[in-house]
Amino acid sequence: SFIGRDLDVAQIAELVREHRLVTLTGVGGVGKTRLALQVAAELVAEFPGGVWLVELAEVGDPAAVPAAVATGLSLTPQAGVSLTESIAQSMGDRRSLVLLDNSEHVLDAAAELVEAMLAAGSTLKVLSTSREGLRVEGEHVWSVPSLDVRRGVDSAAVELFVDRAQAVDNSFSISTAEDATAVAEICTRLDGIALAL
């Protein structure tokens, strides 16, 4: 399920249409990846060259970023050029969207590769997630907020909490005012952070 960010999805999708590089930033667990995946799903029909997810969370060495990206894009390295150049040449003319997920710990390497990819052609777009922007020219940064908790039991955070609780126990409900108050308090204490909920 996808809860509480429909307006964000529409606005970010429009940014991706207008800009070649959009980065979703925010604290860990706020829901950057889930939001980016939903945006990519909304846009898939607009990219005949494909929508590609490249996970960087497990990449420990910045020098391994090009290899991880090549694997994620199912690319075979070209002879006689660096792996970065090979990726850029292969992707540069495709009308594709690359979702580069969790790049904060390899930020400089990811930024260097994104710059090369975007410079190689005019039709590729990149949607990245990171705790901070890539600092690449032309990047548009979107700060992902926590889920709303201000509306108490009617907030997106409470809706997500109930959804997740029902996934574990389908009989779960907020049937009393005491239950509603307790769940709203939990969501507030967790600052509406999606992963914590």
Side-chain angles (χ1 to χ4, degrees), residues 33-98:
T33 297
R34 183 65 184 93
L35 180 56
L37 288 170
Q38 189 66 31
V39 169
E42 294 287 326
L43 293 172
V44 71
E46 298 177 31
F47 292 95
V51 174
W52 302 85
L53 172 62
V54 178
E55 301 272 3
L56 295 178
E58 301 301 320
V59 177
D61 180 3
V65 167
V69 172
T71 299
L73 298 174
S74 300
L75 296 177
T76 303
Q78 299 173 10
V81 296
S82 72
L83 190 50
T84 295
E85 291 171 323
S86 182
I87 293 167
Q89 289 173 10
S90 295
M91 297 301 293
D93 292 328
R94 293 186 189 183
R95 180 144 176 75
S96 298
L97 174 64
V98 175

Side-chain angles (χ1 to χ4, degrees), residues 96-113:
S96 298
L97 174 64
V98 175
L99 171 48
L100 203 58
D101 191 35
N102 291 308
S103 58
E104 57 270 351
H105 62 294
V106 288
L107 202 61
D108 292 338
E112 182 180 322
L113 182 58

Side-chain angles (χ1 to χ4, degrees), residues 5 28 31 33 49 89 92 107 120 135 142 146 153 157 159 177 184 188 193:
R5 297 195 192 272
T33 297
Q89 289 173 10
L107 202 61
R135 297 182 301 270
W142 176 279
S146 297
V153 72
E159 185 180 352
T188 299
I193 301 292

Side-chain angles (χ1 to χ4, degrees), residues 75-185:
L75 296 177
T76 303
Q78 299 173 10
V81 296
S82 72
L83 190 50
T84 295
E85 291 171 323
S86 182
I87 293 167
Q89 289 173 10
S90 295
M91 297 301 293
D93 292 328
R94 293 186 189 183
R95 180 144 176 75
S96 298
L97 174 64
V98 175
L99 171 48
L100 203 58
D101 191 35
N102 291 308
S103 58
E104 57 270 351
H105 62 294
V106 288
L107 202 61
D108 292 338
E112 182 180 322
L113 182 58
V114 167
E115 280 182 315
M117 290 168 61
L118 295 177
S122 61
T123 57
L124 177 71
K125 299 207 176 198
V126 176
L127 176 60
S128 68
T129 69
S130 178
R131 292 186 185 178
E132 59 183 293
L134 297 176
R135 297 182 301 270
V136 172
E137 186 177 343
E139 176 182 35
H140 189 89
V141 176
W142 176 279
S143 180
V144 178
S146 297
L147 289 170
D148 172 51
V149 295
R150 295 167 295 175
R151 294 176 40 221
V153 72
D154 295 323
S155 69
V158 170
E159 185 180 352
L160 179 63
F161 183 98
V162 170
D163 180 74
R164 296 304 183 253
Q166 288 175 342
V168 175
D169 177 1
N170 64 356
S171 68
F172 178 85
S173 69
I174 301 177
S175 55
T176 67
E178 185 178 312
D179 291 344
T181 300
V183 170
E185 178 65 22

